[in-house]
């Protein structure tokens, strides 16, 4: 899914306000989170092949919820969405729908997906990799994006930050 977003939805943004490095860091850490554990612990492959039982079933609704949240947020942004961090000229700050409660619902969806994937792996090493590396990348991306949004929207974004949370409604 992230490869589709990375490749198919890669649009240009305002050149004077575009940061591209973080998308490669995010992609690298997501890929490392998904396959890196296989390099460190050979038992990961055997655990991954076990049938779904118990807690692993929780991963399915989590992943589906994350996908729904992520794509809803992307769809809500419409043509303003880009895999590059930047604000297209003439874009207004989105503050309705999902964005009324959190500033980065797309990333919230992504974190929910990786939580589901980590539960699906159901192995201490691979679960840790599948959640920690992608989530770290997303938090880095949020930090990068917030700087650009502050530069682009100034006082309006500062007010928006005061009334909303980053990724978890009413908490963080």
């Amino acid at each position: 899914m992230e490869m589709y977003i990375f490749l198919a939805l890669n649009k240009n943004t305002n050149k004077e306000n575009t940061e591209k490095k973080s998308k490669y860091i995010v992609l690298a850490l997501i890929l490392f989170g998904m396959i890196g554990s296989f390099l460190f612990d050979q038992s990961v492959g055997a655990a991954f092949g076990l049938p779904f039982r118990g807690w692993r079933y929780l991963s399915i609704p989590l992943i589906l919820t994350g996908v729904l949240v992520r794509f809803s947020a992307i769809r809500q942004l419409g043509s303003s969405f880009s895999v590059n961090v930047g604000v297209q000229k003439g874009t207004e700050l989105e503050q309705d729908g999902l964005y009324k409660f959190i500033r980065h619902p797309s990333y919230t969806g992504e974190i929910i997906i990786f939580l589901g994937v980590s539960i699906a792996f159901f192995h201490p090493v691979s679960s840790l990799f599948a959640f920690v590396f992608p989530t770290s990348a997303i938090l880095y991306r949020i930090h990068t994006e917030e700087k650009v949004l502050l530069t682009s929207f100034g006082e309006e974004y500062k007010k928006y930050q005061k009334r909303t949370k980053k990724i978890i409604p009413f908490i963080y």
Side-chain angles (χ1 to χ4, degrees), residues 58-129:
L58 178 62
S59 68
I60 297 167
L62 278 172
I63 292 169
L64 293 175
T65 299
V67 168
L68 179 67
V69 170
R70 180 139 168 82
F71 275 116
S72 295
I74 290 170
R75 186 169 182 210
Q76 188 176 338
L77 286 178
S79 63
S80 297
F81 177 80
S82 174
V83 296
N84 296 323
V85 175
V87 177
Q88 297 174 20
K89 289 183 179 179
T91 300
E92 292 184 21
L93 180 62
E94 183 65 54
Q95 300 179 55
D96 296 320
L98 295 171
Y99 293 87
K100 184 176 184 176
F101 304 101
I102 51 177
R103 297 191 298 275
H104 304 282
S106 175
Y107 297 136
T108 298
E110 208 167 10
I111 290 170
I112 294 168
I113 291 167
F114 290 117
L115 178 60
V117 168
S118 70
I119 291 170
F121 279 169
F122 206 69
H123 183 276
V125 175
S126 61
S127 294
L128 185 69
F129 271 66

Side-chain angles (χ1 to χ4, degrees), residues 21-59:
K21 179 181 77 169
S22 66
K23 74 179 175 186
Y24 297 110
I25 292 170
V26 169
L27 184 62
L29 286 174
I30 287 172
L31 290 173
F32 187 69
M34 296 301 105
I35 61 173
S37 61
F38 291 91
L39 303 172
F40 291 96
D41 188 339
Q42 302 307 313
S43 68
V44 168
F48 186 71
L50 294 174
F52 264 54
R53 291 194 178 112
W55 282 100
R56 286 181 92 179
Y57 282 110
L58 178 62
S59 68

